[in-house]
Amino acid sequence: METLEIIAWIFVLLGVGTGLAILRDVIRHPQPMKIMNVTWPVNGLFTPVFGWWVYQKLGRPDAEAGGHVHKPKWQSTLVGVTHCAGGCVLGDSIAAPIVSIVGFTVAGSLLLGHFVGEFFAAYLFGIAFQMIPMMSMGESNPFRAFINAIKADTLSLVAFEIGMFGFIALSFKVFLPAEPHVASATFWFMMQIAMIIGFATAYPANWWLIKRGIKHGM
Protein backbone atom coordinates (compact mmCIF):
# COMPACT_ATOMS: atom_id res chain seq x y z
CA MET A 1 0.00 0.00 0.00
CA GLU A 2 1.39 3.40 -0.98
CA THR A 3 2.11 6.08 1.61
CA LEU A 4 -0.65 8.35 0.34
CA GLU A 5 -3.19 5.54 0.62
CA ILE A 6 -2.12 4.84 4.22
CA ILE A 7 -2.43 8.53 5.13
CA ALA A 8 -5.79 8.64 3.37
CA TRP A 9 -7.11 5.68 5.36
CA ILE A 10 -6.03 7.33 8.62
CA PHE A 11 -7.83 10.58 7.88
CA VAL A 12 -10.93 8.94 6.42
CA LEU A 13 -11.30 6.67 9.45
CA LEU A 14 -10.67 9.59 11.82
CA GLY A 15 -13.38 11.52 9.96
CA VAL A 16 -15.86 8.67 10.31
CA GLY A 17 -14.95 8.36 13.99
CA THR A 18 -15.42 12.10 14.53
CA GLY A 19 -18.79 12.07 12.80
CA LEU A 20 -19.97 9.10 14.88
CA ALA A 21 -18.74 10.70 18.12
CA ILE A 22 -20.69 13.88 17.36
CA LEU A 23 -23.75 11.83 16.35
CA ARG A 24 -23.64 10.01 19.68
CA ASP A 25 -23.46 13.32 21.51
CA VAL A 26 -26.32 15.01 19.64
CA ILE A 27 -28.53 11.99 20.33
CA ARG A 28 -27.87 12.54 24.04
CA HIS A 29 -28.00 16.34 23.77
CA PRO A 30 -30.29 17.27 20.84
CA GLN A 31 -29.83 20.60 19.11
CA PRO A 32 -32.62 23.20 19.41
CA MET A 33 -32.71 23.41 15.60
CA LYS A 34 -33.31 19.78 14.61
CA ILE A 35 -31.48 19.94 11.27
CA MET A 36 -28.27 20.65 13.20
CA ASN A 37 -28.50 17.12 14.63
CA VAL A 38 -27.59 16.05 11.11
CA THR A 39 -25.37 18.99 10.21
CA TRP A 40 -22.85 18.65 13.05
CA PRO A 41 -22.08 14.93 12.50
CA VAL A 42 -21.81 15.45 8.73
CA ASN A 43 -19.29 18.26 9.27
CA GLY A 44 -17.29 15.92 11.47
CA LEU A 45 -16.79 13.56 8.53
CA PHE A 46 -14.48 15.99 6.72
CA THR A 47 -12.89 17.63 9.77
CA PRO A 48 -11.26 14.70 11.63
CA VAL A 49 -10.87 15.38 15.39
CA PHE A 50 -10.96 19.18 14.86
CA GLY A 51 -14.66 18.92 14.03
CA TRP A 52 -15.32 17.49 17.50
CA TRP A 53 -13.63 20.51 19.12
CA VAL A 54 -15.64 22.97 17.00
CA TYR A 55 -18.86 21.15 17.87
CA GLN A 56 -18.04 21.24 21.59
CA LYS A 57 -17.26 24.97 21.45
CA LEU A 58 -20.08 26.17 19.16
CA GLY A 59 -22.70 23.44 18.93
CA ARG A 60 -22.99 21.81 22.33
CA PRO A 61 -23.66 25.13 24.19
CA ASP A 62 -26.83 25.62 22.09
CA ALA A 63 -28.07 22.19 23.13
CA GLU A 64 -27.37 22.89 26.81
CA ALA A 65 -29.12 26.28 26.64
CA GLY A 66 -32.08 24.97 24.66
CA GLY A 67 -31.63 27.70 22.05
CA HIS A 68 -29.02 29.67 20.16
CA VAL A 69 -26.60 31.27 22.62
CA HIS A 70 -25.08 34.64 21.74
CA LYS A 71 -21.92 34.32 19.69
CA PRO A 72 -19.55 36.84 18.11
CA LYS A 73 -20.42 37.41 14.46
CA TRP A 74 -17.47 35.38 13.19
CA GLN A 75 -18.65 32.40 15.22
CA SER A 76 -22.32 32.69 14.26
CA THR A 77 -21.22 32.96 10.63
CA LEU A 78 -19.06 29.87 11.01
CA VAL A 79 -22.01 27.89 12.39
CA GLY A 80 -24.06 29.16 9.45
CA VAL A 81 -21.43 27.74 7.11
CA THR A 82 -21.66 24.35 8.86
CA HIS A 83 -25.37 24.42 8.04
CA CYS A 84 -24.63 25.04 4.36
CA ALA A 85 -21.81 22.49 4.38
CA GLY A 86 -24.11 19.82 5.81
CA GLY A 87 -26.32 19.87 2.73
CA CYS A 88 -23.40 20.21 0.31
CA VAL A 89 -21.41 17.36 1.82
CA LEU A 90 -24.37 14.98 1.94
CA GLY A 91 -25.27 15.74 -1.66
CA ASP A 92 -21.68 15.45 -2.89
CA SER A 93 -21.05 12.22 -0.97
CA ILE A 94 -24.20 10.52 -2.25
CA ALA A 95 -23.78 11.67 -5.84
CA ALA A 96 -20.08 10.77 -6.21
CA PRO A 97 -20.46 6.97 -6.15
CA ILE A 98 -23.67 7.12 -8.21
CA VAL A 99 -21.95 9.14 -10.94
CA SER A 100 -19.07 6.64 -11.00
CA ILE A 101 -21.32 3.57 -11.05
CA VAL A 102 -23.50 4.80 -13.91
CA GLY A 103 -20.51 6.29 -15.73
CA PHE A 104 -22.15 9.69 -16.15
CA THR A 105 -19.94 11.99 -18.21
CA VAL A 106 -20.12 15.55 -19.51
CA ALA A 107 -18.29 16.27 -22.76
CA GLY A 108 -16.75 12.83 -22.40
CA SER A 109 -15.27 13.65 -18.97
CA LEU A 110 -16.16 11.67 -15.86
CA LEU A 111 -14.70 14.47 -13.72
CA LEU A 112 -17.12 16.99 -15.25
CA GLY A 113 -19.86 14.42 -14.73
CA HIS A 114 -18.94 14.36 -11.05
CA PHE A 115 -19.11 18.14 -10.87
CA VAL A 116 -22.55 18.35 -12.51
CA GLY A 117 -24.03 15.42 -10.59
CA GLU A 118 -22.62 16.50 -7.25
CA PHE A 119 -23.67 20.12 -7.70
CA PHE A 120 -27.23 19.08 -8.50
CA ALA A 121 -27.43 16.76 -5.47
CA ALA A 122 -25.76 19.31 -3.17
CA TYR A 123 -28.24 21.97 -4.27
CA LEU A 124 -31.22 19.72 -3.55
CA PHE A 125 -29.93 18.88 -0.08
CA GLY A 126 -28.93 22.49 0.55
CA ILE A 127 -32.42 23.77 -0.24
CA ALA A 128 -33.93 21.05 1.95
CA PHE A 129 -31.61 21.99 4.82
CA GLN A 130 -32.87 25.56 4.56
CA MET A 131 -36.58 24.77 4.08
CA ILE A 132 -36.90 22.31 6.96
CA PRO A 133 -35.97 24.77 9.74
CA MET A 134 -37.93 27.58 8.06
CA MET A 135 -41.11 25.51 8.09
CA SER A 136 -40.48 24.19 11.59
CA MET A 137 -40.25 27.80 12.81
CA GLY A 138 -43.66 28.77 11.47
CA GLU A 139 -43.41 29.28 7.70
CA SER A 140 -46.60 27.55 6.54
CA ASN A 141 -46.28 28.34 2.83
CA PRO A 142 -43.99 25.75 1.15
CA PHE A 143 -43.52 27.92 -1.96
CA ARG A 144 -42.44 30.92 0.11
CA ALA A 145 -40.09 28.70 2.13
CA PHE A 146 -38.66 27.35 -1.13
CA ILE A 147 -38.00 30.83 -2.53
CA ASN A 148 -36.44 32.02 0.73
CA ALA A 149 -34.27 28.89 0.83
CA ILE A 150 -33.00 29.63 -2.67
CA LYS A 151 -32.14 33.18 -1.63
CA ALA A 152 -30.38 32.04 1.54
CA ASP A 153 -28.45 29.09 0.15
CA THR A 154 -27.59 29.64 -3.51
CA LEU A 155 -24.64 32.01 -3.15
CA SER A 156 -23.27 30.08 -0.18
CA LEU A 157 -23.55 26.75 -1.99
CA VAL A 158 -21.98 28.05 -5.19
CA ALA A 159 -19.06 29.46 -3.18
CA PHE A 160 -18.63 26.12 -1.38
CA GLU A 161 -18.69 24.11 -4.60
CA ILE A 162 -16.25 26.46 -6.37
CA GLY A 163 -13.65 25.92 -3.65
CA MET A 164 -14.31 22.20 -3.51
CA PHE A 165 -14.35 21.56 -7.26
CA GLY A 166 -11.28 23.75 -7.75
CA PHE A 167 -9.20 21.59 -5.43
CA ILE A 168 -10.60 18.34 -6.85
CA ALA A 169 -9.68 19.44 -10.38
CA LEU A 170 -6.13 20.31 -9.29
CA SER A 171 -5.63 17.14 -7.26
CA PHE A 172 -7.04 14.77 -9.88
CA LYS A 173 -5.42 16.43 -12.90
CA VAL A 174 -2.20 17.93 -11.49
CA PHE A 175 -1.20 16.65 -8.04
CA LEU A 176 -1.97 12.94 -8.50
CA PRO A 177 -0.66 10.69 -11.27
CA ALA A 178 -4.22 9.51 -12.05
CA GLU A 179 -7.78 10.08 -10.90
CA PRO A 180 -8.38 7.88 -7.84
CA HIS A 181 -11.27 5.44 -7.93
CA VAL A 182 -14.33 6.44 -5.94
CA ALA A 183 -13.96 3.29 -3.83
CA SER A 184 -10.44 4.24 -2.72
CA ALA A 185 -9.49 5.99 0.51
CA THR A 186 -7.44 8.46 -1.56
CA PHE A 187 -10.58 9.67 -3.34
CA TRP A 188 -12.35 10.42 -0.06
CA PHE A 189 -9.24 11.94 1.51
CA MET A 190 -9.07 14.37 -1.42
CA MET A 191 -12.79 15.02 -0.90
CA GLN A 192 -12.15 15.81 2.77
CA ILE A 193 -9.53 18.40 1.86
CA ALA A 194 -11.74 19.79 -0.91
CA MET A 195 -14.66 20.17 1.51
CA ILE A 196 -12.48 22.07 3.99
CA ILE A 197 -11.46 24.43 1.18
CA GLY A 198 -15.11 24.72 0.14
CA PHE A 199 -15.96 25.62 3.73
CA ALA A 200 -13.36 28.39 3.63
CA THR A 201 -14.63 29.82 0.32
CA ALA A 202 -18.23 29.72 1.58
CA TYR A 203 -17.40 31.72 4.71
CA PRO A 204 -17.20 35.19 3.03
CA ALA A 205 -20.44 34.48 1.15
CA ASN A 206 -22.23 33.65 4.40
CA TRP A 207 -20.80 36.73 6.10
CA TRP A 208 -22.23 38.91 3.30
CA LEU A 209 -25.61 37.11 3.33
CA ILE A 210 -25.94 37.60 7.08
CA LYS A 211 -24.84 41.23 6.87
CA ARG A 212 -27.51 41.89 4.24
CA GLY A 213 -30.17 40.14 6.31
CA ILE A 214 -30.75 37.49 3.65
CA LYS A 215 -29.57 34.78 6.01
CA HIS A 216 -29.62 34.68 9.80
CA GLY A 217 -26.53 34.09 11.91
CA MET A 218 -26.53 31.02 14.09
Side-chain angles (χ1 to χ4, degrees):
M1 186 179 293
E2 295 182 359
T3 301
L4 177 59
E5 189 75 2
I6 295 172
I7 294 172
W9 272 113
I10 291 172
F11 278 90
V12 169
L13 291 176
L14 282 174
V16 172
T18 301
L20 290 175
I22 297 174
L23 176 62
R24 180 172 180 266
D25 201 73
V26 297
I27 290 173
R28 293 182 172 185
H29 309 279
Q31 292 285 300
M33 181 181 288
K34 292 182 179 179
I35 197 67
M36 297 303 291
N37 293 319
V38 178
T39 291
W40 281 115
V42 168
N43 275 260
L45 294 175
F46 68 93
T47 55
V49 182
F50 181 70
W52 170 259
W53 181 81
V54 174
Y55 162 71
Q56 287 291 316
K57 292 294 183 180
L58 302 180
R60 181 69 177 278
D62 287 345
E64 294 174 346
H68 291 310
V69 300
H70 175 73
K71 304 178 184 72
K73 186 177 178 180
W74 73 269
Q75 291 183 358
S76 66
T77 301
L78 190 146
V79 177
V81 182
T82 67
H83 187 199
C84 167
C88 290
V89 170
L90 269 181
D92 291 326
S93 300
I94 291 172
I98 294 175
V99 168
S100 292
I101 290 170
V102 303
F104 175 65
T105 63
V106 173
S109 169
L110 181 61
L111 182 60
L112 290 179
H114 271 287
F115 290 169
V116 172
E118 290 172 27
F119 183 89
F120 179 74
Y123 198 59
L124 288 180
F125 275 94
I127 294 301
F129 270 46
Q130 291 292 335
M131 286 186 66
I132 291 171
M134 286 179 185
M135 299 192 73
S136 69
M137 291 187 292
E139 178 54 75
S140 59
N141 187 319
F143 180 74
R144 190 180 299 120
F146 177 69
I147 296 301
N148 288 337
I150 289 176
K151 292 178 180 178
D153 200 58
T154 299
L155 179 61
S156 177
L157 183 141
V158 168
F160 185 98
E161 297 296 303
I162 286 174
M164 177 179 164
F165 291 162
F167 177 80
I168 289 295
L170 284 173
S171 62
F172 286 12
K173 295 298 184 181
V174 180
F175 302 150
L176 300 176
E179 294 184 28
H181 192 274
V182 72
S184 70
T186 298
F187 179 93
W188 292 104
F189 178 44
M190 293 299 107
M191 288 284 278
Q192 283 180 320
I193 298 173
M195 289 166 181
I196 291 171
I197 293 173
F199 193 103
T201 55
Y203 189 94
N206 278 264
W207 183 284
W208 183 83
L209 288 167
I210 293 171
K211 183 178 181 180
R212 293 293 299 271
I214 299 172
K215 190 173 183 178
H216 297 293
M218 300 174 66

